[in-house]
Amino acid sequence: MQQENRFDILSGGVEDPNVNGTLKDELIRLPELSITEVFDLKAKLETELDGLFDKLNLQGADLNSNLVTPEGFPRSDVDVLQVRLLRRSINMLRNDLRAVISRTQELMATQFKKMAAKTHKIQDDNVLDYRIPFALVTEVVPGSPSHRAGLLEGDKIVKFGSINAGNNQSLAAIGPVVKKSENAQISIRMLRNGSLQNLTLTPSRNWAGPGLLGCRLVHV
């Protein structure tokens, strides 16, 4: 059994000459349309309705005009059949517009939920990046790049370039970042005496000791 069409514009299977045929196809596909396409369809329906009302006005009538004389005869100054067809088209299109608006609201609600979830994830990532330490500085060699940058024993690293508590791989991720950043600044965020502080460290071999940093880090 064929499912009854949910849109008034096609109800009864009667073609409506007053309505754009393309709109009929789009209305049938409404559940499949993206939010942008639904907004576009809404605008088309509103434009179509404006056009139908203009046609109705040209007939010298509106949705509530009486189409018979006081004696009960059809008015001779208007095309009664055309007015009735236009009224029918307008009423059907109004119902279709309500369905489209309802679908728009559904899609917007879904979109807002996705945006809220994404915002929540970003906020969680920020907390992860800037609040949770993943490494403890246990030694800083005098004269080393770390010493020149101002790093102190006891500092707790919460961000080392792009490395944070969520991606440090038990500090294994730091080595490649250091090598890639030789003679280039790395932004570091750390906890010192309970306070968040920032500094920049430039890995370099231009010092008396071995390595590029001159400090020892342990995973926490």
Side-chain angles (χ1 to χ4, degrees):
M1 180 177 179
Q2 186 176 3
Q3 185 178 3
E4 183 180 355
N5 197 297
R6 64 179 289 189
F7 303 109
D8 284 342
I9 202 168
L10 297 177
S11 60
V14 178
E15 285 291 330
D16 190 338
N18 291 310
V19 177
N20 187 332
T22 303
L23 290 178
K24 301 175 185 179
D25 296 334
E26 292 187 66
L27 285 165
I28 292 173
R29 296 189 300 107
L30 180 60
E32 306 167 8
L33 300 181
S34 68
I35 188 168
T36 301
E37 291 171 328
V38 173
F39 271 113
D40 184 53
L41 177 57
K42 176 177 175 291
K44 290 177 183 177
L45 287 172
E46 291 169 341
T47 300
E48 192 79 10
L49 272 171
D50 288 342
L52 292 177
F53 274 110
D54 288 342
K55 290 180 181 179
L56 191 60
N57 289 334
L58 288 175
Q59 292 292 330
D62 56 33
L63 292 178
N64 300 310
S65 299
N66 198 337
L67 298 181
V68 297
T69 65
E71 293 78 19
F73 295 102
R75 286 173 53 184
S76 60
D77 60 326
V78 297
D79 187 336
V80 174
L81 177 59
Q82 181 64 15
V83 169
R84 286 177 174 169
L85 287 174
L86 285 168
R87 285 177 174 177
R88 174 180 177 274
S89 299
I90 288 171
N91 287 329
M92 288 182 174
L93 215 56
R94 277 179 161 180
N95 289 335
D96 293 328
L97 182 58
R98 292 189 188 99
V100 170
I101 291 173
S102 176
R103 180 58 178 161
T104 301
Q105 293 170 341
E106 292 173 4
L107 291 173
M108 288 181 65
T110 301
Q111 189 75 5
F112 282 135
K113 286 181 181 178
K114 290 180 179 178
M115 291 173 62
K118 184 176 181 180
T119 300
H120 182 69
K121 182 180 184 303
I122 291 173
Q123 290 173 342
D124 286 347
D125 288 345
N126 286 339
V127 170
L128 191 67
D129 281 351
Y130 300 115
R131 300 293 176 187
I132 303 175
F134 66 91
L136 174 67
V137 180
T138 60
E139 181 183 1
V140 177
V141 180
S144 67
S146 294
H147 181 259
R148 292 196 296 265
L151 206 60
L152 298 178
E153 183 179 335
D155 287 342
K156 296 177 180 178
I157 308 299
V158 297
K159 196 166 187 292
F160 190 98
S162 60
I163 308 302
N164 56 59
N167 64 5
N168 69 90
Q169 302 172 21
S170 298
L171 303 188
I174 289 182
V177 171
V178 171
K179 290 180 181 178
K180 184 178 179 180
S181 303
E182 184 173 354
N183 298 319
Q185 290 186 339
I186 297 176
S187 297
I188 295 177
R189 173 161 283 198
M190 62 193 180
L191 278 170
R192 179 178 291 171
N193 298 323
S195 175
L196 281 171
Q197 298 187 32
N198 298 304
L199 57 80
T200 56
L201 190 159
T202 303
S204 173
R205 301 182 190 276
N206 187 25
W207 69 292
L212 295 170
L213 296 181
C215 70
R216 177 177 295 176
L217 302 175
V218 296
H219 187 251
V220 295

